[in-house]
């Protein structure tokens, strides 16, 4: 491989690595409070996209070295090929099986179909881990706010609308009340501890 050709390959690999990182960036930003739901769903795949970026960056670092002998070229190919194959396999499996969890319950706000309370089970095991989330808006403009993530061992009991613009999350030892503004922005919580034993 000529010096010019090798430089072209190195910069192509680096450009592809940068592109994978830039594709992931809006997905990461959309995973934060108030982020766009569909952008997060499509682009927030760190194992796939960041793994691809790192793999391509390593490949570019190796490719910039000059391997003059046939054995050096074979050794380079022997190192890079498994790296690329394993990276692609891990990324593909993460994309297919990563998922967003299993939707357990979805309830629109009374008199507001564009404010929806979602409860999702994120666990891969039999012990559930519940993510409670508010989705405001529809289509590509829909945004999400996380109320929290709790497992059964943390005392999660239920999450529900308890009035217009009001969400109550009941845990074993406390009650959290959130407010929802007209534009769908989440406020709160107001936390009230529950008695350690039932009052007589």
């Amino acid at each position: 491989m000529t010096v010019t050709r090798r430089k072209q390959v190195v910069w192509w690999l680096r450009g592809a690595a940068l592109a994978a990182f830039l594709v992931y960036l809006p997905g990461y930003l959309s995973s934060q409070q108030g982020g766009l739901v569909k952008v997060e769903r499509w682009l927030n795949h760190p194992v796939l996209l960041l793994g691809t970026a790192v793999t391509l960056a390593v490949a570019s670092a190796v490719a910039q070295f000059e391997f003059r002998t046939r054995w050096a070229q074979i050794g380079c190919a022997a190192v890079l090929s498994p790296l690329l194959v394993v990276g692609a396999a891990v990324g593909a499996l993460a994309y297919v099986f990563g998922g967003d969890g299993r939707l357990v319950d979805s309830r629109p706000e009374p008199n507001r179909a564009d404010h929806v309370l979602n409860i999702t089970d994120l666990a891969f095991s039999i012990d559930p881990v519940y993510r409670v989330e508010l989705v405001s808006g529809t289509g590509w403009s829909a945004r999400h706010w996380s109320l929290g993530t709790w497992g059964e061992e943390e005392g999660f009991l239920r999450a529900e609308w308890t009035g217009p613009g009001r969400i109550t999350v009941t845990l074993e030892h406390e009650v959290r009340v959130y407010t929802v503004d007209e534009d769908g922005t989440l406020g709160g919580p107001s936390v009230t501890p529950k008695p350690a034993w039932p009052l007589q």
Side-chain angles (χ1 to χ4, degrees), residues 17-113:
L18 179 61
F21 175 76
L22 292 177
V23 168
Y24 166 69
L25 193 57
Y28 168 75
L29 294 175
S30 292
S31 70
Q32 307 304 308
Q33 293 285 65
L36 294 169
V37 173
K38 290 198 173 183
V39 173
E40 181 197 15
R41 189 167 296 153
W42 282 96
L43 301 180
N44 187 30
H45 298 284
V47 174
L48 174 63
L49 295 173
L50 291 184
T52 298
V54 170
T55 301
L56 291 172
V58 171
S60 73
V62 174
Q64 72 181 348
F65 294 107
E66 184 177 0
F67 299 97
R68 296 191 177 190
T69 67
R70 176 176 293 276
W71 286 110
Q73 293 171 358
I74 291 173
C76 175
V79 170
L80 283 182
S81 298
L83 178 65
L84 294 174
V85 170
V86 170
V90 170
L93 289 173
Y95 184 81
V96 171
F97 295 105
D100 296 319
R102 179 179 62 87
L103 186 64
V104 175
D105 195 10
S106 182
R107 302 179 186 178
E109 179 183 349
N111 305 320
R112 287 294 300 265

Side-chain angles (χ1 to χ4, degrees), residues 155 157-158 169-175 191-197:
L157 300 176
R158 61 185 174 275
V169 177
T170 304
L171 306 173
E172 185 175 349
H173 300 294
E174 65 184 25
V175 176
V191 180
T192 304
K194 294 174 67 177
W197 57 83

